[in-house]
Every structure is written in structure tokens, then in C-alpha cells.
Amino acid sequence: MSTSFEQLQIAQTYLDKLKELGIGEPTPIQAEAIPVLKQGSDAIIQSQTGTGKTLAYLLPALEQIDPTQKQLQVLVVVPTRELGMQIMQEIEKLTADGPIRSQSLIGGAAVVRQVEKLRLHPHIVVGTPGRLLELMKIKKLTLHHVKVGVIDEVDQVFELGSMQDVESVLKGMLKSSQKVFVSATIPQSTEQAAGRWLKEPVIIKINASQRTAETLEHMYVLCQEREKVDTLRRLVRLIKPKSAIVFINVTDDIAQVVAKLQYVGLSIEALYGEASKQDRAKVMGSFREGKFQLLLATDVAARGLDIEGVTHVFHLDPATNAEYYLHRVGRTGRMGREGTTISIVTPKEQFILEKFEKQLGITIEPKAMYEGRLVDPAQDRSAATMRSRREAARPRDAAPVRSGSAGSHYAAAPAGAVRTSAPATDARESSAGPAKPAAPKHTAAGGKAVSKAQRERDRKSKGAPRWLKEKQQNKE
Ligand code: ADP
Ligand code: MG
């Protein structure tokens, strides 16, 4: 029999709020964690992405708050602004119309305003390590009365080079305060940190062997490096996901990548680490509202995000390790919903996926695009052979030529096997975003007067906007 929130002895005010939010039964991690946290034990909470870890720690933590005391009693530490804002919203929903005051203390926002607002004595704060420490140093924030300190996405928080900051924050809390570490992944280094900071922690793990959601379908498409953008464009056109996240590895210039993807007609915006607070908030807000289709993100930026309606996760670069893969794919397939994840990899990168399969106990199926469907590449190959025989029988210029198919065995079916049109045309067809710059004329194609170096440059920067090409040319 499953436990109810009543049986977990959640206070009536929160029971009412949960009902209003349409949350009926506790998830397994909530059923396990809530009683342990209510007893006041330190704990490590580890369960798959999208299993409701936030409420698992928030409900018992909120119950610890005595609203008559003008003191900070609960602290939630997070790695990023976006996750902080998401958790703040959850807190606000649970405490709406009540006496509990909450505040976010996140880097990027004006310190002066935060200091001013701190005068209202929040009972619960959500913050990033750097900003919390900054405010502690100038004596505007004290953690002496914190009863519960939670670090969400704890492995990421410790990894972000902010180790010293987090440790100083942890030191700022009394030894007797309850401390809780939360993540879907707890690597050994985090376990060691837990050993230093938690007193006899209760380890609450759900489904440790099943590390990613069973409702997730893992796939990959092979192509050459230069075809990746076009492959993504074709996949998006074929699948038409309502909402999807595209991951790249950390790059110096995410602006270039997003410009390139927008240029080929994708409705995509990026979550930038360096962008202003307002810009990041705007991008997140618009994405949540479904104003554009794809969110380009890095591993850190997307950690913990819970965005309704994300059905697909694409990897333009393979994840750095199995843990990162697990967090990336965990942006979809949440709470028992279905989700699909597609890695776009080169033959050289294929071994990385094999490693993930072994480490995570999953199968990542090869796929190819064929006649508007994603199929087993073997099927694509045999069909393609038949097709190319038929194509060969036709007059030459009848076969449409598509860019980006050269050299690819799986991703790009040979000419004629896929619905085809010149890339410049379909780039605009599929665009749901703002107007894109016109395609620069490709004088290089077939032009005998063009040098080999020029052709190579053009090949490399195919699909890039003019300014980007010029920039690249200037570099050479
Ligand atoms: P995690 O931190 O484990 O990745 P979240 O806490 O972000 O997962 O929760 C995922 C989603 O599930 C959120 O949208 C949340 O509101 C919802 N949720 C949480 N608990 C429940 C529940 N008991 N029943 C239904 N939905 C829930
Ligand atoms: Mg979470």
C-alpha cells in the first residue's frame, strides 16, 4: 500500500497546498525521506532525476520554521541561478498567503537590493555559495539560527570550483543543525565531503540500480562532425518536438553556436553563463512558456531544471561522463512521463556511448532518418541501396542534392531517400523563431575560380551566418 502525505504527518496547511497544486500521493523518495528528515537526522537523498526530491526536503524543512521568530531557519544551497529561481517558485507556492518569508540570494543580482530585503528577516533562503559567502563576510547574513541546511545538486555545487565557498557556508551553520545533501548522482568525492560535514547521515537511495528513468528512450544518430548541425536540424524537422533541450559541452563562445543553429532555421535560444541576469531570466521564462522550441544549454546551466513539456534531449556533443549524461537526459522523462534522448555522434565518438551503456545499464539504439521516420540504420541501408538503384535509372538532374550528406552512412540517407530540398529553403520553413538573415550566396559551389582553401573554408563554415564566416576568414 502506498503512503499518503497525511500518513507522513505533513502539516494541514501544506496538505491543502499540495492538493491545490494537484499533487496527490508522495513519490517513493518522498515517502522514504520525509520521516527521516522529520526526525532531524542528517541525510543524503539520492534518487533518479524527476522523482520529486525538491518536495522531499522542502516539506519537512518548511515545517521546522517558526514564523514568529525573525530568523533565518532554513537554507537551500544550489549551483545555479535558474535552479534557485525554480526552487523559490516552489517555496512561494507552498507558502503563499502564509506567514513564512522567503528570499533568494543568488549571484548576478544586485547585492544592495538583497541586503535591503534581508532586513525583512526571511525564514528561508535559497542561494548560490558565492553570494551567500559574500553576504556573510559583510555581516549581512548569519547562519547561526539555521535549523536545516540543504545542498541540492550537491555534487555539482562541490564541483563548481566553489568548494571553499560551500565549505565556508557549511561552517557558518551550527554543528547541531540538520544538514541534507541531495542529488541523482553522488560520486565518491561528494561522499567524502559528506563524511566531513554530515553527522551519521541516513542514506536514502531509491532504485540505485536503475539510474535513469525507465520511461526514457535512448538513441543515437551517426554523422560526421561537419554534419552535426544539419543532422540536428533534420531531426528537429522530422520529430517536431514541442519543447527540447540541446546540450553542448562547455564552449568559449556559445553565441557562435546559437547563431549557427538559428541560421539553419532552428527556433533556439541559449542559456548563457555570462549573460545578464535579466537575459537569462527572459530566456528561461520564454522557454517555459513555449515561445521557442529548443533551449541550448551546457551541463551546468541545466542542472536540476524541471521544465514541463520537454519531450526530447539532444546531445550535439556527447556528455563528458555517465553522470553528466544522466543529468542531461533527466530533463525529460520526469515523473513517469515519456522522454526521448538522441545523441548526435561521429564514428569516433561512438565508444563514449558504449561506455555509458555499460556504466548506466542502458541500451542506446542506433537510428537513421529515412522517409520521415527514425529507423534502424540497417533498414535505412537496404532501402537506400534500392533507392539509389532507382535513382541511377532516372535522369541525373532529377535527383535532388542535399547538403551535409556526404560521407555519412547513417544520419544522412543518400540523395532521394529523405524528403529533400535545398537547405536554404527549408531553413526558413521550419523556423518558428525571429526572421533569420538571408543565406549568403554560395559562389564557391562548383566555381572553378575558387581556391581549394576557400572551398575548404566554405565547407567548414557551412550554415554559419555571414558575420561568423567573416570572423573565421579573418582568423585564417
Ligand atoms: P528531482 O529534484 O527529483 O529531479 P523535482 O523535485 O524537480 O524532481 O520534481 C519533478 C516534478 O514533479 C516537479 O514538477 C514537481 O512539482 C513534481 N512532483 C513532485 N512531487 C510530486 C508528487 N508527489 N506527485 C506528483 N508530482 C510531483
Ligand atoms: Mg532536483
Side-chain angles (χ1 to χ4, degrees), residues 7-82:
Q7 281 166 323
L8 293 173
Q9 299 178 333
I10 296 298
Q12 190 60 45
T13 101
Y14 297 119
L15 288 178
D16 295 342
K17 285 283 188 305
L18 290 172
K19 209 175 262 169
E20 277 171 36
L21 295 170
I23 291 178
E25 296 297 310
T27 62
I29 192 70
Q30 290 163 358
E32 291 285 328
I34 289 171
V36 173
L37 299 190
K38 268 173 164 286
Q39 278 171 11
S41 309
D42 281 4
I44 297 177
I45 299 180
Q46 183 181 6
S47 67
Q48 280 173 16
T49 51
T51 52
K53 293 188 287 295
T54 319
L55 282 180
Y57 65 76
L58 272 188
L59 289 170
L62 285 169
E63 290 196 354
Q64 291 290 315
I65 293 175
D66 175 356
T68 62
Q69 302 289 312
K70 280 183 156 186
Q71 283 152 348
L72 175 61
Q73 295 163 58
V74 174
L75 175 67
V76 181
V77 182
V78 292
T80 62
R81 139 179 307 281
E82 282 67 32

Side-chain angles (χ1 to χ4, degrees), residues 338-358:
E338 289 188 350
T340 306
T341 174
I342 307 181
S343 300
I344 301 171
V345 290
T346 65
K348 271 193 193 154
E349 290 166 339
Q350 222 178 331
F351 79 97
I352 303 174
L353 300 186
E354 283 161 18
K355 274 208 319 213
F356 296 167
E357 285 186 315
K358 281 197 203 104

Side-chain angles (χ1 to χ4, degrees), residues 318-331:
T320 317
N321 59 40
E323 273 70 36
Y324 275 33
Y325 182 83
L326 183 153
H327 284 282
R328 284 181 175 193
V329 304
R331 297 316 101 216

Side-chain angles (χ1 to χ4, degrees), residues 25 97 127 134 208 212 217 258 265 302 306 326 359:
E25 296 297 310
D97 312 318
E134 201 179 330
T212 63
E217 215 177 331
V258 83
D306 181 62
L326 183 153
Q359 289 166 347

